[in-house]
Amino acid sequence: MRRGTFRDETVDYAAVGATQAPDLMQYPPEKSIPAEESWRLGSGEARFRSASEDLLSWVAQKAAGMQLEDIRPASGPVYQGVSFDDEGHPITPSRTEAEQRYDADGTPYVGAGMTVRAHGRVGGHSADGEYRVIFVVEDKRRVGFGLGTVGDSVVSGEESFMIEWFSNDEVWFTVRAFDSPRAFLYRTIPGLTKRRRKALFTQYLRAISPLYATTTS
């Protein structure tokens, strides 16, 4: 069970980690637009593990039309945190920071503090920018990560992606975000920010949901 939180706040917004706040939709960071969507992916451990593997190998971003380049590991220390079993006993992390995984194309899996540059368009909107992985969570029934803008994006803000396997055996995928327009056109026409976010959410669902035939090969 692995947790990682990057401490070097070199992103271009102040409310680092705010996608984890339970009241994000009611009280978003100043001048930002919040968004949240959840989708049921199915049920069972096999579905949870498959979706989690896709998520941590950047399938949501790649299938959304983003080309990922210049993926770099954390430049500073990463806080690994402590995980616990069902009885409250601490668990030794299943992987160490040095054990970097790679997908079939040689792309590193998501890691806390990692920086990645993306190029592409989603629903006619720019997805270009440099992003930093703010945190990574790999627990027994919950896997996900947060991604924040570093620069060169039309908006400034953060996204969190979470796969959860609940006690009723259902598996759900939740994306939360807040965006503040930065590019002139997006500041002039506020509705563009919401349309861009809706397009991203739609593509993320198509990438992770078994209802869509998405391949990464």
Side-chain angles (χ1 to χ4, degrees):
M1 288 59 179
R2 181 169 67 107
R3 291 174 179 262
T5 301
F6 193 63
R7 295 304 190 186
D8 180 10
E9 298 180 1
T10 54
V11 292
D12 62 5
Y13 60 97
V16 178
T19 52
Q20 299 181 88
D23 58 356
L24 171 68
M25 296 303 294
Q26 290 75 33
Y27 303 103
E30 187 177 3
K31 297 182 180 180
S32 69
I33 302 171
E36 180 180 79
E37 290 286 350
S38 293
W39 305 281
R40 183 178 181 274
L41 301 180
S43 59
E45 182 176 2
R47 175 62 61 202
F48 170 71
R49 295 195 179 281
S50 175
S52 298
E53 191 77 2
D54 284 346
L55 187 67
L56 294 181
S57 58
W58 303 100
V59 166
Q61 288 72 29
K62 291 179 179 179
M66 299 182 192
Q67 181 180 352
L68 304 182
E69 301 175 351
D70 194 22
I71 299 178
R72 303 186 302 276
S75 59
V78 175
Y79 173 66
Q80 295 299 324
V82 179
S83 294
F84 300 88
D85 62 19
D86 294 338
E87 297 180 353
H89 302 299
I91 301 172
T92 301
S94 59
R95 283 185 288 274
T96 65
E97 182 181 350
E99 292 175 331
Q100 177 66 61
R101 292 179 294 163
Y102 299 84
D103 67 13
D105 297 327
T107 302
Y109 273 44
V110 172
M114 183 175 284
T115 302
V116 57
R117 181 166 290 278
H119 296 283
R121 299 187 69 81
V122 178
H125 300 274
S126 172
D128 291 358
E130 188 173 1
Y131 303 88
R132 187 179 298 281
V133 178
I134 304 302
F135 64 86
V136 176
V137 175
E138 285 189 76
D139 287 339
K140 185 177 179 180
R141 288 179 172 267
R142 187 170 180 261
V143 171
F145 68 99
L147 196 63
T149 55
V150 175
D152 302 326
S153 175
V154 295
V155 301
S156 173
E158 185 178 295
E159 299 174 298
S160 69
F161 308 85
M162 202 64 63
I163 306 289
E164 294 183 85
W165 178 25
F166 292 106
S167 57
N168 64 359
D169 209 34
E170 291 185 352
V171 179
W172 285 75
F173 175 38
T174 298
V175 184
R176 310 180 84 218
F178 60 88
D179 300 306
S180 177
R182 290 182 63 87
F184 175 77
L185 186 61
Y186 282 75
R187 286 187 283 111
T188 305
I189 309 175
L192 288 178
T193 300
K194 291 185 177 181
R195 289 201 287 272
R196 178 181 182 273
R197 174 54 52 193
K198 183 177 181 180
L200 284 168
F201 275 11
T202 298
Q203 293 305 314
Y204 294 153
L205 168 61
R206 289 178 177 271
I208 302 298
S209 173
L211 297 176
Y212 299 92
T214 302
T215 61
T216 58
S217 59

